[in-house]
Amino acid sequence: MSDVAWWWPYVMIVVAGWIATDMWRWLGVFAGGRLREDSELFVWVRCVATALVAGVISKLILFPNGILADTPMWLRLVAAGAGFAAFLAVRQMVIVGVLVGVAVLICGWLLLGGVSG
């Protein structure tokens, strides 16, 4: 793996955070125009999507792989909290929460001396 690839996990966090939520919302808008928003199918899909996002976030925080494993857990928790606070502060825009969380994680990692060589 090259030295340039240190940023790859952070790009994946942003992409996965966006795809796991917004993609399904847009798909629902286009495909489900005639379906009721409170139907059992939509409630089930929303629950499954939320559970998947929660599972991915939990795994990234508690059992990270690769370079993310080099960051201390407290930093991962602070980044997740900052991202969630930003999400709530900016009209629940997922991309803002994800970007703030990633920015806090990267800045904290850099301040701790994360880049070598």
Side-chain angles (χ1 to χ4, degrees), residues 19-30 87 92-94:
I19 288 175
T21 57
D22 283 354
M23 181 183 76
W24 293 109
R25 290 178 185 170
W26 284 105
L27 184 63
V29 167
F30 292 128
F87 166 77
Q92 297 186 355
M93 293 175 59
V94 174

Side-chain angles (χ1 to χ4, degrees), residues 6-14 67-68 71 102 105-106 109:
W6 66 268
W7 50 267
W8 182 245
Y10 302 105
V11 171
M12 287 306 299
I13 291 170
V14 171
I67 201 158
L68 192 57
T71 61
V102 170
L105 185 63
I106 291 173
W109 183 66

